[in-house]
Amino acid sequence: MLTGLIQAEAIFSAHGYDVVVTEWWRPPRPGKPSLHPVHHAFDLRARNIPDGQRTMMKKDLNAALGPDWDVVLHGVGSGVHFHCELQRSSLPQPR
C-alpha cells in the first residue's frame, strides 16, 4: 500500500499538486463492501483539481500503479476524490 501511495504522490507532484489522503482505514459499513477496513484502499483529494486535469491524472495513476490496482474517480463537489484499491487477487494467498 505504501508503494502505491508513493507512486500516487509522484503523479500528483508531476501535475503540480500536493497529495492529500482523505481516507485510508475506516470501519466496515453494513451493505457497503470496501477494501478500506482491510487496509487495501486509500482515497486522495481531487476537489482542488480541474475536471480535465483529473481525467489525465486518473490515466496516469492507472499507468503508474499497474494492473493490480483499480483507480476510480468518484464523488461530487467537495467530496470528489480518487479511490485507489489494491485488488485482493494480487495479494499472496495463504497456503
Side-chain angles (χ1 to χ4, degrees):
M1 289 300 296
L2 185 55
T3 301
L5 183 57
I6 290 168
Q7 291 171 320
E9 191 282 329
I11 297 300
F12 271 66
S13 182
H15 284 270
Y17 295 96
D18 292 330
V19 69
V20 176
V21 177
T22 57
E23 188 164 54
W24 189 293
W25 178 87
R26 70 168 176 241
R29 297 177 184 165
K32 291 191 172 190
S34 173
L35 293 178
H36 285 283
V38 293
H39 308 281
H40 292 150
F42 55 81
D43 294 341
L44 305 174
R45 178 172 293 153
R47 69 181 183 203
N48 58 320
I49 302 168
D51 287 342
Q53 188 91 15
R54 289 181 200 151
T55 303
M56 201 57 177
M57 288 176 71
K58 180 183 179 294
K59 179 181 171 190
D60 290 349
L61 285 165
N62 275 317
L65 294 173
D68 293 337
W69 289 78
D70 282 338
V71 178
V72 179
L73 179 61
H74 64 128
V76 294
S78 64
V80 67
H81 62 278
F82 295 101
H83 172 82
C84 305
E85 64 180 39
L86 181 60
Q87 294 304 298
R88 292 177 192 236
S89 61
S90 67
L91 301 172
Q93 300 301 310
R95 296 179 188 233

